[in-house]
Amino acid sequence: MKRPLYYLLCAIACTSMVGATMPMAAIAEAIQPQETTEQQAQADATSSGTDKAEDGTNTNATADSAEDSTATSTGTSQTDPADANTTDTATPGTAAATGAATTAPTPSLRARTNPTPAAISTTSQTTYAHSATATQNGFTFTVSWNDAPAGTATIFHVTQANGSSQAKARMDVPTYWDGGSQESVCDPSRPAWASYCSLGTAGHDFTFDFTASGTYRIYFYFMDNDRNDPQNDKGIYYLRTTAEVTVNDAARPSVTQIVNSAVAQCRQQTNGSEYDMALWLHDWTLDQLEYDHSLNWCSAESGLTRHQGTCESYQRIYSKLLDAVGIANGRITGNGHT
């Protein structure tokens, strides 16, 4: 009992001596830097952990990268031609192909992307090489454009005359053909192709990039009405004009030319049996494009020249290849897929 009491008295005496020689403010100052240093170290560690970013990019590359060619396209205009029958209409819902990767991912094929008819700022240009017009009720709508070199999007300048502030227009999905079957380059069910833009007094610009030799036809639709104001209702609910552009450029081969070239290579690298050719062409198709998760591009044109497409693109390309080598094939659809 005496020894514990002795230690307690010693501790009290030491505390009294320290208190007498060092004021409390000085004790606080001596302790504070240590706490601040510890807090700063903890904050630095937290900041360092936060600043470490992980690359979450989802890689869907399936094939070799492709180079874009450069050349100049030619264009012609045509006003309201009769509707052309369109084959292989795009199916709205599509599914991506699945498979286990066995090698390191190859560079992405998506060197250039034009998923929608993007609107750009109005240009000050007043003269164009080509134009197409549509008139109704004394009002005129005009689409004007110039030929654009390969790799550069063509600008379609849309204007109106004698219309109201309610006048607007939209660019429909381009169709493509090169002597074979006509196809929609994109899926017409996508909302982007149904959106109207106001024309105002300066007009509006739409863009599209032509990537293959052949003929493209684009419908432009106009509206100028105001049901809430009958006196100013111009009565234009459905007016159309057509821009037709023909591209003839060796640097931008047509779909048929690309298919024929692939078939010639297939015949050289296989034993000529249907099985070997079908397998070779199947693998070649997969090497040409990546699945378009925007569900916009859906054609052989987009798959072979833009390297993007939904299941429609894969089916159309493979069918063209099998037809070219004389292998019977068919099309199966279900649940929004093909």
Side-chain angles (χ1 to χ4, degrees), residues 274-286:
E274 285 194 350
Y275 177 84
D276 279 354
M277 289 193 296
L279 179 59
W280 191 98
L281 294 172
H282 166 274
D283 294 346
W284 183 89
T285 299
L286 296 184

Side-chain angles (χ1 to χ4, degrees), residues 67-198:
E67 296 181 8
D68 295 331
S69 59
T70 56
T72 304
S73 66
T74 60
T76 59
S77 64
Q78 180 175 341
T79 304
D80 281 338
D83 286 333
N85 293 327
T86 302
T87 60
D88 289 340
T89 302
T91 306
T94 50
T98 59
T102 57
T103 59
T106 53
S108 173
L109 289 169
R110 299 183 182 183
R112 180 177 61 224
T113 302
N114 266 329
T116 58
I120 62 174
S121 59
T122 303
T123 63
S124 59
Q125 187 169 349
T126 57
T127 59
Y128 294 88
H130 312 286
S131 65
T133 61
T135 60
Q136 183 178 333
N137 300 342
F139 310 109
T140 302
F141 295 89
T142 304
V143 179
S144 306
W145 70 96
N146 288 319
D147 300 325
T152 303
T154 296
I155 298 174
F156 293 92
H157 185 54
V158 183
T159 57
Q160 57 99 357
N162 300 324
S164 72
S165 60
Q166 302 297 320
K168 50 190 176 182
R170 73 176 176 89
M171 176 181 176
D172 202 8
V173 172
T175 58
Y176 168 83
W177 72 97
D178 62 351
S181 60
Q182 180 175 315
E183 64 176 0
S184 294
V185 176
C186 304
D187 188 338
S189 71
R190 305 308 297 170
W193 299 101
S195 301
Y196 280 85
C197 298
S198 177

Side-chain angles (χ1 to χ4, degrees), residues 18-101:
V18 171
T21 57
M22 178 178 282
M24 292 304 295
I27 295 175
E29 277 187 12
I31 297 174
Q32 183 63 32
Q34 181 178 359
E35 294 177 348
T36 304
T37 302
E38 292 175 353
Q39 293 174 354
Q40 183 64 39
Q42 182 177 3
D44 291 343
T46 303
S47 175
S48 176
T50 304
D51 291 340
K52 292 180 179 179
E54 293 184 359
D55 184 3
T57 304
N58 181 19
T59 303
N60 293 305
T62 59
D64 300 330
S65 59
E67 296 181 8
D68 295 331
S69 59
T70 56
T72 304
S73 66
T74 60
T76 59
S77 64
Q78 180 175 341
T79 304
D80 281 338
D83 286 333
N85 293 327
T86 302
T87 60
D88 289 340
T89 302
T91 306
T94 50
T98 59

